[in-house]
């Protein structure tokens, strides 16, 4: 259960496994087995046409026998899906990551999950590359555009150091990168980036009003596409990101930390109505 970051994918995995064992298994039967009555509700939920209410989520965890951290994890996923307030979503995501953290035995993987648990970690990992800057927590906090206190900055720096990503040079009093890039473990690829991307998208909205136009570029394209073009577009985005990273490696000096968001997502879905 804790390997899923969307309860709909969890339901689909259960349904697909049951369907492989019994070709006559249906979503109506699935809904009944979960204690939600004789209906096609689970088909609607799995396909994103209905949300799982908190009341029904409590019924489901009992039917599936989810207890302890698996129960708490599932209920938090349901809360996340039912919440639109960005601050509340951040709080729920943090709780989801904390629960997932409990089930990870590998300290290295646990630290990697913590890397993504707060938006500040990724920013500071890049910030210490900036030339001729004071690396005290107070000085860094004073330069951050999304506000963070000096105590938060120091906590983040300590985490990055404990992960072996940066180290403090005792002579210069400045941090240095030990690793050029952060390589994510496969065990957290689904959950790790969610909180980080959630915050960066939120900051992009804030930048529309906060940052002068000559220092930002926020644009979008809305167009109809065939499904077969999506892998091609995703590869184009990946190639662009690699091109930017390669370009950044050749800069002589660094002055500011920038965030580049590229998003591709559907605005329509296939209708399930007959």
């Amino acid at each position: 259960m804790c390997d899923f970051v969307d309860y709909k994918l969890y339901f689909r995995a259960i349904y697909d496994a049951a369907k492989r064992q019994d070709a006559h298994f249906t979503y109506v039967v699935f809904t009944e087995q979960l204690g939600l009555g004789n209906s096609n509700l689970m088909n609607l939920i799995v396909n994103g046409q209905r949300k799982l209410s908190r009341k029904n989520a409590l019924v489901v965890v009992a039917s599936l026998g989810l207890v302890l951290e698996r129960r708490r994890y599932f209920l938090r996923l349901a809360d996340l899906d039912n919440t639109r307030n960005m601050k509340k979503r951040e709080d729920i995501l943090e709780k989801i990551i904390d629960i997932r953290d409990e089930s990870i035995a590998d300290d290295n993987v646990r630290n990697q999950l913590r890397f993504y648990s707060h938006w500040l970690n990724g920013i500071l990992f890049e910030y210490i590359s900036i030339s001729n800057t004071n690396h005290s927590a107070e000085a860094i906090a004073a330069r951050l555009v999304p506000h963070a206190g000096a105590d938060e900055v120091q906590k983040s720096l300590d985490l990055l150091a404990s992960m072996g990503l940066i180290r403090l040079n005792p002579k210069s009093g400045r941090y240095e990168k030990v690793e050029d890039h952060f390589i994510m473990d496969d065990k957290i690829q689904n959950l790790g980036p969610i909180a980080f991307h959630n915050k960066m998208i939120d900051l992009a909205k804030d930048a529309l009003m906060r940052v002068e136009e000559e220092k930002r570029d926020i644009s979008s394209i809305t167009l109809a596409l065939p499904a077969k073009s999506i892998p091609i577009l995703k590869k184009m985005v990946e190639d662009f990101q690699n091109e930017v990273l390669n370009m950044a490696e050749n800069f002589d000096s660094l002055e500011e930390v920038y965030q580049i968001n590229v998003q591709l997502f559907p605005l329509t879905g296939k209708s399930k109505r007959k």
Side-chain angles (χ1 to χ4, degrees):
M1 169 67 239
C2 293
D3 290 331
F4 293 86
V5 294
D6 186 332
Y7 65 79
K8 294 187 288 294
L9 297 178
Y10 176 58
F11 285 145
R12 185 181 293 280
I14 295 175
Y15 175 82
D16 288 345
K19 191 73 171 178
R20 285 192 294 270
Q21 292 184 354
D22 180 3
H24 300 292
F25 190 77
T26 67
Y27 274 110
V28 173
V29 174
F30 190 28
T31 304
E32 286 184 308
Q33 290 183 351
L34 291 177
L36 300 179
N38 184 4
S39 71
N40 198 37
L41 177 61
M42 285 310 301
N43 185 31
L44 298 176
I45 289 176
V46 167
N47 287 290
Q49 294 176 271
R50 291 279 297 275
K51 294 184 181 298
L52 184 69
S53 68
R54 177 75 178 190
K55 178 180 177 181
N56 284 342
L58 291 170
V59 173
V60 167
V61 294
S63 299
L64 291 175
L66 301 180
V67 296
L68 302 176
E69 75 276 0
R70 297 173 69 203
R71 180 181 187 276
R72 291 186 288 119
Y73 187 86
F74 181 89
L75 293 176
R76 290 299 183 187
L77 289 183
D79 290 341
L80 182 66
D81 194 43
N82 286 302
T83 302
R84 287 292 166 263
N85 180 277
M86 293 303 296
K87 180 59 173 68
K88 290 182 179 179
R89 285 180 64 84
E90 284 184 31
D91 293 341
I92 294 172
L93 278 169
E94 185 175 344
K95 290 182 174 64
I96 288 173
I97 290 175
D98 286 342
I99 296 170
R100 183 71 178 90
D101 183 33
E102 295 173 12
S103 65
I104 297 175
D106 189 321
D107 288 339
N108 182 55
V109 176
R110 182 180 291 110
N111 278 337
Q112 290 192 40
L113 188 58
R114 288 172 181 162
F115 177 93
Y116 279 112
S117 68
H118 197 293
W119 56 269
L120 186 58
N121 299 324
I123 294 177
L124 293 189
F125 182 54
E126 290 302 317
Y127 180 89
I128 63 170
S129 300
I130 296 178
S131 308
N132 303 317
T133 54
N134 185 331
H135 282 179
S136 71
E138 292 77 11
I140 294 175
R143 288 196 63 180
L144 291 174
V145 176
H147 175 72
D151 55 339
E152 290 181 283
V153 170
Q154 189 59 59
K155 182 178 179 181
S156 178
L157 292 171
D158 291 342
L159 172 64
L160 296 176
S162 71
M163 292 177 64
L165 295 175
I166 65 174
R167 65 185 169 211
L168 181 64
N169 185 320
K171 293 183 179 180
S172 66
R174 289 172 47 82
Y175 286 92
E176 303 168 344
K177 273 190 173 183
V178 176
E179 301 289 342
D180 290 331
H181 304 293
F182 174 71
I183 307 299
M184 184 168 49
D185 192 282
D186 291 341
K187 296 184 181 68
I188 64 166
Q189 277 192 345
N190 287 333
L191 180 59
I194 290 180
F196 180 79
H197 291 321
N198 190 66
K199 182 64 178 182
M200 292 303 106
I201 292 171
D202 200 25
L203 290 177
K205 292 189 297 183
D206 178 60
L208 279 170
M209 302 298 295
R210 174 180 52 78
V211 180
E212 51 268 36
E213 191 171 355
E214 59 268 24
K215 290 186 178 180
R216 62 169 170 79
D217 187 311
I218 298 178
S219 57
S220 64
I221 303 173
T222 304
L223 70 168
L225 297 167
K228 64 182 180 181
S229 70
I230 304 307
I232 299 173
L233 286 170
K234 292 180 69 174
K235 181 61 166 56
M236 291 174 65
V237 171
E238 182 181 354
D239 290 344
F240 167 70
Q241 291 173 329
N242 288 331
E243 186 177 344
V244 171
L245 289 173
N246 290 334
M247 179 183 69
E249 290 179 353
N250 295 319
F251 290 138
D252 294 330
S253 62
L254 306 175
E255 298 172 334
E256 302 288 351
V257 177
Y258 266 74
Q259 176 70 19
I260 300 175
N261 291 345
V262 182
Q263 291 126 22
L264 170 68
F265 55 90
L267 296 173
T268 59
K270 294 182 178 179
S271 175
K272 298 297 179 179
R273 296 180 180 178
K274 301 294 185 181

